[in-house]
Amino acid sequence: MLDVRRLRLLHALSVHGTVTAAAEALHVTSPAVSQQLAALEREAGVALVEREGRRLALTRAGHVLAAHTQLVLDQLAAAEADLASLRTSVSGVVRVGAFVSVAALLPRVIQVLRSAHGSDVELFVHEMEPEASLPALRRGDIDIAVIHSYNIMPRSLPTSCESFELFVEPVNVALPLSDPLVQQDSVDLSVLADRPWIMPRTDASCHELTQRACGAAGFVPRAQAYCDDFGVMCGLVEAGLGVALVPSVARRPGVALRPLTQQVFRTVSAVVRNRADGQPAVRAVLEQLRQV
């Protein structure tokens, strides 16, 4: 029979790519990982790893077993969640991965949790974009991933995960207060074709959003600056460096936000592994996220 603890090591190697990284993720030593993988190979009766230069890589059989292990680990996580849901006390550690503009709201969540549950519920916050938080959720590194998706850029979720909508907000064009377009109720992106743009970094989904929205309006935005923080973007807009697309949560004095005639909006959701919302501590955090 295959040992679940050894299967976790194989899964960690498939996720993290190296024995050293897998050992760090599971808080064991690298030699221990190698020894346990060798034992797992004896149990399986087939080679699961092979040398590629100085590192160990999964064989075809290793990839097959790692995929099955993911299903096993998901089912174990669901079983733990179901057992936790039977507890009446609300306590435990909840790890949340949230992108920057929503992470700024989490101090309010922490305050309410402490008021209701004292130190029984401990919240750890990791600032990360959905491209990082969803894989982290699947690996079990975090318990809740707060993510965003856009109506013109749907986002697929990992299998064995559930999504809970927190709020929907429009995407607006950010303009200096002195801009004549501020007088309009909405702005058609095509009139901004010749303007310089403040853009998110090129590997961010928000960058792709701006590219798609402007492309649908018939032009490619000319980047004047790149930055990740919507607050900084609005500051650059206020200084007259260019225009930008930002969600409503980025509102700040000195900048006018006007809705688009193209009706672009983003949905912010909390994602958990299946049935994890039944765990009292996770459920308490989800409830406060919805309220805040």
Side-chain angles (χ1 to χ4, degrees):
M1 181 176 293
L2 300 177
D3 188 290
V4 173
R5 292 170 297 179
R6 292 168 181 159
L7 288 173
R8 285 186 185 275
L9 295 174
L10 181 73
H11 177 262
L13 178 59
S14 72
V15 169
H16 297 284
T18 67
V19 169
T20 300
E24 291 178 353
L26 296 180
H27 308 291
V28 297
T29 65
S30 296
V33 173
S34 299
Q35 292 168 7
Q36 292 301 312
L37 288 178
L40 182 61
E41 285 187 323
R42 291 193 293 272
E43 291 175 349
V46 63
L48 301 174
V49 295
E50 59 186 358
R51 283 282 175 187
E52 284 188 358
R54 299 178 60 183
R55 61 185 289 271
L56 281 181
L58 296 186
T59 63
R60 182 178 178 183
H63 282 292
V64 169
L65 186 55
H68 283 288
T69 299
Q70 180 68 70
L71 299 176
V72 172
L73 296 180
D74 287 342
Q75 197 61 42
L76 284 174
E80 291 172 351
D82 285 347
L83 289 175
S85 68
L86 300 177
R87 297 198 301 265
T88 56
S89 62
V90 180
S91 63
V93 175
V94 181
R95 301 157 298 170
V96 179
F99 58 96
V100 61
S101 55
V102 164
L105 303 176
L106 291 179
R108 293 168 57 190
V109 174
I110 295 173
Q111 290 174 347
V112 175
L113 285 172
R114 285 182 176 172
S115 176
H117 306 290
S119 60
D120 291 338
V121 177
E122 190 172 3
L123 197 64
F124 279 87
V125 179
H126 306 263
E127 184 185 304
M128 54 179 68
E129 291 297 312
E131 291 78 11
S133 63
L134 287 175
L137 178 69
R138 187 67 190 274
R139 292 193 303 266
D141 295 341
I142 58 176
D143 303 297
I144 302 174
V146 182
I147 68 167
H148 59 72
S149 61
Y150 296 97
N151 61 318
I152 61 174
M153 285 180 57
R155 188 185 298 277
S156 60
L157 297 180
T159 57
S160 303
C161 289
E162 298 178 89
S163 177
F164 300 88
E165 184 178 299
L166 300 180
F167 61 90
V168 179
E169 61 179 341
V171 173
N172 309 273
V173 58
L175 301 164
L177 292 179
S178 58
D179 195 299
L181 293 176
V182 170
Q183 306 305 318
Q184 299 185 17
D185 293 331
S186 63
V187 176
D188 192 299
L189 276 177
S190 62
V191 304
L192 301 172
D194 295 328
R195 299 284 193 96
W197 281 78
I198 314 301
M199 300 281 289
R201 70 178 192 273
T202 55
D203 61 342
S205 58
C206 298
H207 178 90
E208 179 66 21
L209 165 76
T210 303
Q211 294 279 20
R212 289 194 187 188
C214 293
F219 70 97
V220 176
R222 174 170 58 87
Q224 187 70 27
Y226 292 96
C227 63
D228 297 333
D229 188 279
F230 286 129
V232 175
M233 293 174 71
C234 285
L236 295 176
V237 170
E238 182 181 1
L241 196 62
V243 298
L245 293 185
V246 299
S248 294
V249 74
R251 188 179 304 277
R252 57 171 284 169
V255 172
L257 301 186
R258 289 295 176 267
L260 303 171
T261 57
Q262 288 85 352
Q263 292 188 331
V264 180
F265 58 86
R266 79 171 181 176
T267 301
V268 176
S269 306
V271 183
V272 299
R273 292 183 295 278
N274 275 353
R275 296 201 290 277
D277 60 309
Q279 298 181 23
V282 171
R283 184 169 61 247
V285 175
L286 285 174
E287 290 172 355
Q288 294 309 319
L289 284 171
R290 289 178 180 134
Q291 292 184 30
V292 170

